[in-house]
Amino acid sequence: MSPETETLFLHPDRNLALELVRATEAAAIRAVPFIGKGDKLGADGAAVDAMRKFLGTVEFDGLVVIGEGEKDHAPMLFNGERVGTGRGPACDIAVDPIDGTSLTAAGRQNAISMIAVSDRGTMLDASTVFYMDKIVTGAEGVGVVDIHKPIGENIRALAKAKGKLPEDIVVAVLDRPRHAQLIEDIRAAGAGTRLMLDGDVAGGINAALYGTRIDMCVGIGGSPEGVATACAIKALGGEIQTILYPQTDDERQRGMDAGLKFDHVYTADEMVASDNTFFVATGVTDGGLVKGVRRFGPIIRTESIVLRSHSGTIRRISADHLAEKWLDH
């Protein structure tokens, strides 16, 4: 095997992204019958089954390093599960068949199906600690924002870096009781808030993308979502800083036993120590990142976004699927 061929075999290449999109598309399509039906476990279960089935056909050796579902006993692709054919590049995976199961069940916006991938052994396994505090911005925030500083200082610093006034800054944050003071502080600094009911992966990515209305995403959210967001941020050239946020002493101890660091700021490179990351997401319901699944007569239309750090590319993929092919599968 030549060195060039060996490199392609050992590391995820661009063709992998198109294969991963098939899995997120399948999960999103299978979740559609559950939109607005109040059954978030049913939606999650259908999406998990579809994603697992399609990942099983992908030519790679995937290891689920961090999955979703453990904290709420939902269906899941479990941590340590092997996916793919076992042939091809060895990869770490962060996966969430539906980021926003509650959004899906309620028929609300911004639910996505997503997969993040990096070279084997490069993705932080934060599965023992369910939550992390974070701050995410675009490239203008690199070397400018600091998670240890008050939010008002970060808003003013980012505004200056972007050539804006603080009152023109929009900050995305999960609408949770734990963020009541944070939301007050954001507004006291003159900035506007974009309160998210769920799904903070999309919020973080929108903060780093050019041309969106969100400048920053902050607050405490899921660790799986944080690691997945880091994969995306590495492709976008943005900034992400996180601090693990254990809920109990037992959880902190489990994290310490797993080698995690507390009161430590994790950067994108520490969460994903690879320059070849992929982030793939397909819309389940409509949102600011991607449109949701739509039905046009015999056609099911999906919209996906594909980010790759090695090439620094952002691709949007619109696909039309024959509905009849999905009726009995």
Side-chain angles (χ1 to χ4, degrees):
M1 184 182 295
S2 69
E4 292 81 6
T5 302
E6 183 176 5
T7 297
L8 288 174
F9 183 79
L10 292 176
H11 301 284
D13 69 8
R14 57 182 173 269
N15 295 322
L16 178 61
L18 297 180
E19 291 297 302
L20 296 174
V21 166
R22 294 172 60 239
T24 56
E25 287 173 345
I29 290 171
R30 285 302 187 200
V32 167
F34 296 90
I35 294 175
K37 302 297 178 61
D39 183 5
K40 71 176 188 176
L41 291 183
D44 210 21
V48 167
D49 288 345
M51 182 172 282
R52 181 178 279 120
K53 177 181 177 181
F54 274 79
L55 283 176
T57 69
V58 178
E59 291 286 314
F60 78 143
D61 178 11
L63 176 67
V64 179
V65 171
I66 191 161
E68 182 59 270
E70 185 176 343
K71 64 175 177 284
D72 52 11
H73 307 291
M76 65 185 298
L77 280 146
F78 58 86
N79 301 328
E81 182 171 352
R82 303 296 282 265
V83 295
T85 63
R87 300 182 298 273
C91 303
D92 287 347
I93 303 176
V95 58
D96 197 345
I98 303 181
D99 180 36
T101 52
S102 296
L103 300 176
T104 303
R108 295 192 174 106
Q109 293 189 337
N110 293 314
I112 61 173
S113 176
M114 70 88 184
I115 300 173
V117 173
S118 66
D119 296 304
R120 175 65 53 79
T122 61
M123 192 176 288
L124 178 70
D125 182 356
S127 58
T128 52
V129 180
F130 298 137
Y131 294 100
M132 55 174 52
D133 196 5
K134 69 177 181 302
I135 183 169
V136 187
T137 74
E140 298 91 344
V142 176
V144 172
V145 299
D146 183 342
I147 195 171
H148 285 308
K149 291 182 178 179
I151 188 63
E153 287 188 29
N154 282 322
I155 288 170
R156 288 186 289 273
L158 183 62
K160 182 178 180 181
K162 298 187 78 168
K164 291 184 173 185
L165 296 173
E167 50 263 39
D168 295 326
I169 295 292
V170 177
V171 182
V173 58
L174 284 170
D175 190 6
R176 299 287 190 271
R178 63 178 178 264
H179 290 149
Q181 186 60 54
L182 176 60
I183 292 167
E184 282 189 26
D185 292 343
I186 291 168
R187 292 170 176 170
T193 55
R194 182 65 54 85
L195 299 183
M196 303 177 292
L197 293 172
D198 208 344
D200 60 339
V201 173
I205 295 172
N206 276 324
L209 280 169
Y210 285 101
T212 73
R213 296 180 180 180
I214 296 175
D215 299 285
M216 183 188 301
C217 184
V218 298
I220 298 165
S223 295
E225 290 85 349
V227 174
T229 302
C231 285
I233 296 306
K234 294 195 73 160
L236 296 171
E239 177 76 353
I240 180 169
Q241 300 170 20
T242 68
I243 299 174
L244 291 169
Y245 192 84
Q247 302 293 291
T248 65
D249 290 340
D250 286 344
E251 189 178 12
R252 175 182 281 267
Q253 187 60 54
R254 288 196 300 273
M256 292 175 64
D257 292 342
L260 296 175
K261 295 181 283 187
F262 294 89
D263 305 316
H264 170 80
V265 178
Y266 280 95
T267 63
D269 286 337
E270 287 180 290
M271 286 190 282
V272 189
S274 168
D275 65 354
N276 191 28
T277 67
F278 291 86
F279 177 88
V280 178
T282 300
V284 177
T285 60
D286 283 343
L289 185 63
V290 282
K291 293 179 181 177
V293 180
R294 301 185 179 204
R295 177 75 180 264
F296 300 98
I299 296 298
I300 297 173
R301 180 168 296 166
T302 58
E303 182 175 289
S304 306
I305 187 169
V306 178
L307 310 174
R308 187 185 183 203
S309 66
H310 185 69
S311 56
T313 51
I314 304 169
R315 289 184 171 87
R316 294 186 179 274
I317 299 174
S318 179
D320 286 349
H321 313 257
L322 282 176
E324 65 184 37
K325 299 291 186 180
W326 290 88
L327 295 180
D328 300 317
H329 299 284

